[in-house]
Amino acid sequence: MPVIEMTVELQHIRAARERITGKVERTPAVVSQSLSDRAGHPVHLKLEHHQTTGAFKLRGASNAIAALSPQEKSRGVVAASTGNHGRALSHAAKLEGMRAVICMSRLVPQNKLDAIRRLGADVRIVGNSQDDAQQEVDRLVAEEGLIMLPPFDHPDIVAGQGTLGLEIMEQVPDAAAVLVPLSGGGLASGVAAAVKGLSPSTKVIGISMARGAAMKASLDAGRPVPVEELPTLADSLGGGIGLDNRLTFAMCRDLLDDVILLDEDEIAAGIRHAYEQEREIIEGAGAVGIGALLAGKASVSGPTVLVLSGRNIDMGLHRRIVCGEAITERVA
Ligand SMILES: *Cc1c(COP(=O)(O)O)cnc(C)c1O
């Protein structure tokens, strides 16, 4: 079978921005004084956790839905999601008056599940992993004709996430490095395509949690590989990249300068720093950039941008983390 080369480039990301302007927020980028002092160079925080629905995923979801034909829109959309993609898709579908079905594993935190139900989506809880949830998605596509919009491995999703990269280069044109949370790689692929398209010498570095870093394991193996999904403070970074990954594996392989892994204490330190020094409430996945800088794991010099990707953390858990209580219940 011929392999069709697929990628997302600057022109697709610019088209995505045209489509979603007015449907998503342009989020601020601010200087972190405390992190700049520590690093000895400017550190900017891209406050994407202030995005509508609390995470960047609304960019990709809005773009993918806007790109559907009227006939496709009438069929409705379905996805497997660790939470934030489902929430974004539900919100974007509701604006269009469309049906949305979201399939999730039991590992998804209750607060994320409730938020999706409140947006009017039909929620199905299936199994213990993203892969189990995906089987239910496949069934709904086959039996009910719903359109699947996956959380990362889709050109319109990647192009939508890439609009975040356009904003970064407008807000911090001299950025030497951009640190991006990394799971399935939709965010990292889109941001890297935009950033490198505009500024080829700017480094883009992905950051995952050490507990189940699927993209890192796949890049090391040279092909998509399965990883065991484990509970982590960075729950939005959980899940595999898909053994039949078509887009984000190759884009991450070709565009990322490095991938950094953090342990659970380093992620917790990022959440704590965001709260105490920056006065921001960030979920674990969104705090990995700060965590990497604090841990001294990112070898960057020059103006650096950290993408704070989401804020949808359970507030009881957040309270325990900022109080410095043991987090072992989540990671046992
Ligand atoms: C989905 C998500 C990520 C990871 O995005 P990928 O495109 O899967 O790499 C990071 N942070 C948050 C808050 C997310 O919801």
Side-chain angles (χ1 to χ4, degrees):
M1 221 167 51
V3 177
I4 299 165
E5 275 294 317
M6 231 196 335
T7 192
V8 170
E9 292 172 352
L10 206 46
Q11 76 217 44
H12 306 115
I13 299 170
R14 289 194 167 121
R17 172 137 85 175
E18 299 259 302
R19 281 198 208 101
I20 68 175
T21 298
K23 295 180 176 154
V24 307
E25 296 291 330
R26 181 185 168 92
T27 53
V30 300
V31 171
S32 162
Q33 203 54 55
S34 67
L35 291 172
S36 300
D37 289 347
R38 255 183 121 97
H41 55 73
V43 176
H44 302 257
L45 306 178
K46 176 65 170 159
L47 305 182
E48 184 65 10
H49 60 298
H50 291 307
Q51 185 56 260
T52 310
T53 69
F56 71 89
K57 293 255 185 2
L58 190 61
R59 295 173 184 267
S62 300
N63 184 47
I65 281 186
L68 294 176
S69 69
Q71 195 272 341
E72 288 171 321
K73 284 184 184 168
S74 71
R75 286 156 63 188
V77 289
V78 61
S81 172
T82 54
N84 285 332
H85 175 62
R87 193 162 170 167
L89 208 57
S90 304
H91 178 89
K94 189 179 180 187
L95 285 186
E96 295 278 337
M98 287 168 59
R99 177 177 182 213
V101 182
I102 307 300
C103 305
M104 303 185 224
S105 85
R106 280 185 207 102
L107 292 181
V108 173
Q110 187 69 31
N111 66 313
K112 292 189 171 178
L113 203 153
D114 292 344
I116 290 174
R117 287 221 167 99
R118 277 197 299 275
L119 287 168
D122 176 357
V123 175
R124 313 264 168 100
I125 305 291
V126 248
N128 288 315
S129 73
Q130 281 283 97
D131 292 341
D132 292 342
Q134 186 59 42
Q135 286 191 1
E136 176 69 1
V137 172
D138 295 342
R139 194 187 65 76
L140 287 164
V141 170
E143 293 178 12
E144 299 186 26
L146 289 161
I147 307 275
M148 178 178 69
L149 289 179
F152 52 87
D153 199 30
H154 186 295
D156 294 329
I157 298 286
V158 171
Q161 320 305 27
T163 62
L164 184 54
L166 295 182
E167 288 174 24
I168 287 173
M169 293 316 294
E170 288 159 5
Q171 293 166 321
V172 189
D174 62 347
V178 180
L179 271 53
V180 190
L182 173 64
S183 175
L187 176 65
S189 298
V191 167
V195 166
K196 301 225 175 238
L198 293 165
S199 170
S201 66
T202 300
K203 283 190 185 176
V204 180
I205 298 171
I207 310 166
S208 303
M209 70 293 176
R211 292 172 65 88
M215 184 61 82
K216 169 73 171 152
S218 299
L219 292 172
D220 288 348
R223 67 190 154 78
V225 293
V227 293
E228 191 192 349
E229 205 174 317
L230 300 164
T232 165
L233 289 176
D235 56 272
S236 291
L237 301 184
I241 70 164
L243 296 182
D244 54 352
N245 188 292
R246 299 178 304 157
L247 181 62
T248 59
F249 171 72
M251 287 187 74
C252 287
R253 180 194 62 205
D254 296 347
L255 295 174
L256 294 185
D257 293 278
D258 198 5
V259 175
I260 296 170
L261 301 185
L262 296 190
D263 66 30
E264 296 296 311
D265 286 337
E266 290 164 341
I267 297 167
I271 295 172
R272 216 175 285 126
H273 174 97
Y275 185 68
E276 285 168 3
Q277 304 294 323
E278 318 295 343
R279 315 284 164 124
E280 301 286 350
I281 294 171
I282 312 281
E283 61 176 284
V288 293
I290 297 176
L293 274 199
L294 293 176
K297 285 189 167 175
S299 56
V300 290
S301 55
T304 298
V305 181
L306 312 182
V307 176
L308 308 190
S309 55
R311 69 170 174 207
N312 296 325
I313 187 170
D314 177 85
M315 288 309 290
L317 174 64
H318 189 269
R319 212 173 298 125
R320 293 198 296 282
I321 292 169
V322 297
C323 289
E325 281 175 36
I327 49 168
T328 41
E329 73 195 81
R330 296 280 302 175
V331 300

